[in-house]
Every structure is written in C-alpha cells, then in structure tokens.
Amino acid sequence: MLRFWRKRQVQIDPEMLRAEQLNAGLALAMEWGENWLKPIQPRLRLRYPQLAQAELDEFNRLCQEAMKFGHDTVYQLAMTAGNHTHIRDFEPLFKARYPWADNKNITHLFSQGMYYAWKDGGLS
C-alpha cells in the first residue's frame, strides 16, 4: 500500500535532457546586460547542480560557439538580402548545425543578429 504513495521515478530521456540543458545554456549566453559574453557555467550550475565542471565547460563552449555562428550567419544573410532577410532563411542553416536548438532560441538569435546587421551594417 505504501508503494502506491511513493513518488514514482520518471525516466528522463538523456537526449531530451541534453537538448534542454543546451537550450538553457544558449539562452544564458545570449543574455544582455551584465552577463553579456560572460561564461555561463555559474548560472547554468544554478539550474542544473548535478552537472560536473567538465560538462559545464563543454556546455559553455558549445553555447558560445552556437551563438557566434548564429549571429555571423544572420549578419551574412542580412548583408546579402538586406531588409528582406527572414528567419525562414536562417533557421534551416542554424538547425543543420545545431539540431537541438529550440524555436525560442532561434528567434532570439535571429533578432540579435539582425540588430547587429542594422547597427553595424547600416541596413535600412
């Protein structure tokens, strides 16, 4: 009878968990303000305390790399297509390299990349 009341342990798909952790890390990497371009390990550890330092370091490397690739790709698209650049042009390029990225992060990366293109590239 007590077994019925015990919490059931839910099996978590390791690939889904990794994608969730990477998306959380990418969101942290893209934060504006005082955390802009700062390592994500301390902030990611707060959310996932079970991660080892080596895992946190790898997440930081991957998320910073993904962010840079995203910004660079959007910037290149914008320099070619100008204001006609659309997220539908960016998304397949980004997903081909980072299939774990969710729509929220892809939209955020696109927005940030376009901001840099407008600011630095003089798009009108």
Side-chain angles (χ1 to χ4, degrees):
M1 182 76 138
L2 288 177
R3 276 187 250 160
F4 176 77
W5 296 106
R6 287 185 190 157
K7 278 190 174 180
R8 291 177 47 195
Q9 288 191 355
V10 178
Q11 289 289 352
I12 297 173
D13 179 5
E15 285 183 38
M16 286 180 62
L17 178 60
R18 181 170 169 82
E20 176 188 303
Q21 292 166 331
L22 283 164
N23 277 293
L26 183 54
L28 292 172
M30 289 188 288
E31 281 184 358
W32 290 108
E34 68 182 60
N35 290 323
W36 178 240
L37 297 179
K38 287 192 178 172
I40 65 168
Q41 294 97 315
R43 293 173 284 144
L44 193 59
R45 179 175 301 224
L46 292 174
R47 186 161 180 184
Y48 300 101
Q50 74 278 13
L51 291 175
Q53 187 61 47
E55 292 173 304
L56 291 165
D57 292 343
E58 180 65 7
F59 283 125
N60 182 69
R61 186 191 66 73
L62 280 170
C63 293
Q64 297 290 343
E65 174 188 287
M67 181 177 65
K68 181 171 179 3
F69 175 80
H71 289 160
D72 290 348
T73 302
V74 171
Y75 192 92
Q76 291 169 359
L77 289 169
M79 291 303 109
T80 303
N83 284 337
H84 301 289
T85 305
H86 195 274
I87 193 167
R88 70 176 167 263
D89 303 318
F90 168 68
E91 184 175 7
L93 298 172
F94 191 79
K95 288 286 271 190
R97 190 158 177 176
Y98 303 100
W100 48 263
D102 64 20
N103 289 338
K104 184 176 179 182
N105 278 332
I106 289 171
T107 301
H108 194 177
L109 272 169
F110 181 78
S111 177
Q112 281 186 348
M114 287 302 289
Y115 167 80
Y116 289 125
W118 288 321
K119 182 177 179 284
D120 299 339
L123 294 182
S124 56

